[in-house]
Amino acid sequence: MAKFLRHLFVCTNEREPGDPRGSCTARGSAAVLEALKEKAHAAGLKRIVRVNRAGCLDQCARGVTVVVYPEAVWYGGVTPADVDEIVERHLVHGEPVRRLEIPAKDLTGKEPPPGFGSGGTPEGGTE
Amino acid sequence: MAKFLRHLFVCTNEREPGDPRGSCTARGSAAVLEALKEKAHAAGLKRIVRVNRAGCLDQCARGVTVVVYPEAVWYGGVTPADVDEIVERHLVHGEPVRRLEIPAKDLTGKEPPPGFGSGGTPEGGTE
């Protein structure tokens, strides 16, 4: 067998009702997850592409969040109406759906310090 | 901000007691998840590396499963005793821990048909 060609993670985090941040679940991520699974299988992608639920992906402000690896393409505000396009364009043809991408500057990841990952020691980042 | 340098997903799937496949949760994945989060933060990796729970990663036979993207390195049979080595060697220094890797031939992903992802149409895979 092999690695999956692509691996999608859909945020299905939940928060207490009334939390001002809301959550992907409150915004409908379960329906996005199910539509992605169903349509990826219908497109013949079973075991070529895998779709999984995930804990909080830390992009709450962007609506329902989906990340696609190994490309590390981040989609925000995804609805079930977007799923056909994600499957056909990105999963089948390898072209990310640019209109749904979260701009890199808006993602919450932090650049590593210079030299990191090449034998250096990380500094800071203990906020 | 930026993308995460590395993104780890820990299988926290649960199954009914008595299911012959068992599950990563029954094998102790919650403790692995917590140890990875705690030690990655302690190593200064907050927001450089993210650790998330995930649904079934489909490698049940291998024990507690962790996948690291964007490298697509798959670890099987992970215990809390392995976490220091994963954090120090892989997350900080970028060197996967080979003794924990699931061999590619044992992963459950399926090779795409020839030409797939370059404008072709997938065939088969609807098992």
Side-chain angles (χ1 to χ4, degrees):
Chain A
M1 302 298 272
K3 294 176 185 184
F4 302 119
L5 180 69
R6 294 192 175 87
H7 201 162
L8 283 72
F9 295 91
V10 181
C11 182
T12 56
N13 193 41
E14 291 185 68
R15 290 202 178 89
E16 293 294 318
D19 188 307
R21 293 169 296 177
S23 72
C24 284
T25 291
R27 295 188 181 98
S29 63
V32 171
L33 175 72
E34 289 313 311
L36 277 168
K37 285 186 175 184
E38 182 187 319
K39 296 190 175 193
H41 282 203
L45 298 176
K46 186 172 178 180
R47 294 210 156 150
I48 296 173
V49 167
R50 190 162 180 89
V51 181
N52 276 120
R53 65 177 62 241
C56 179
L57 296 176
D58 203 34
Q59 321 297 335
C60 312
R62 319 297 307 189
V64 173
T65 301
V66 178
V67 61
V68 185
Y69 284 107
E71 299 99 310
V73 167
W74 288 79
Y75 293 130
V78 179
T79 73
D82 299 314
V83 167
D84 277 333
E85 191 175 353
I86 292 172
V87 171
E88 181 60 24
R89 189 173 295 189
H90 189 167
L91 305 188
V92 174
H93 289 102
E95 302 158 6
V97 182
R98 298 296 177 198
R99 69 176 180 85
L100 295 172
E101 274 193 83
I102 303 175
K105 69 174 176 50
D106 294 338
L107 291 169
T108 65
K110 201 166 116 178
E111 295 285 355
F116 185 88
S118 54
T121 304
E123 294 167 32
T126 54
E127 67 200 44
Chain B
M1 302 298 271
K3 294 175 186 185
F4 302 119
L5 180 69
R6 293 191 175 89
H7 201 162
L8 283 73
F9 296 91
V10 180
C11 182
T12 57
N13 192 42
E14 291 185 68
R15 290 202 178 91
E16 293 294 319
D19 188 307
R21 295 169 295 178
S23 71
C24 283
T25 292
R27 295 187 182 98
S29 63
V32 172
L33 175 72
E34 289 314 309
L36 278 168
K37 285 187 176 186
E38 183 187 319
K39 296 192 175 190
H41 283 202
L45 299 176
K46 187 171 177 179
R47 294 207 155 151
I48 295 173
V49 167
R50 190 161 181 90
V51 181
N52 276 121
R53 64 176 63 240
C56 178
L57 296 175
D58 202 33
Q59 320 299 335
C60 312
R62 318 298 307 187
V64 173
T65 301
V66 178
V67 60
V68 184
Y69 284 107
E71 298 100 311
V73 167
W74 287 80
Y75 292 131
V78 180
T79 73
D82 299 314
V83 167
D84 277 334
E85 191 175 354
I86 293 172
V87 170
E88 180 60 24
R89 189 174 296 188
H90 189 169
L91 305 188
V92 173
H93 289 101
E95 300 159 8
V97 181
R98 298 295 177 200
R99 70 176 179 85
L100 295 172
E101 274 193 84
I102 303 175
K105 70 174 175 51
D106 293 338
L107 291 169
T108 65
K110 201 166 116 176
E111 295 285 353
F116 184 89
S118 55
T121 304
E123 293 166 33
T126 53
E127 68 200 44

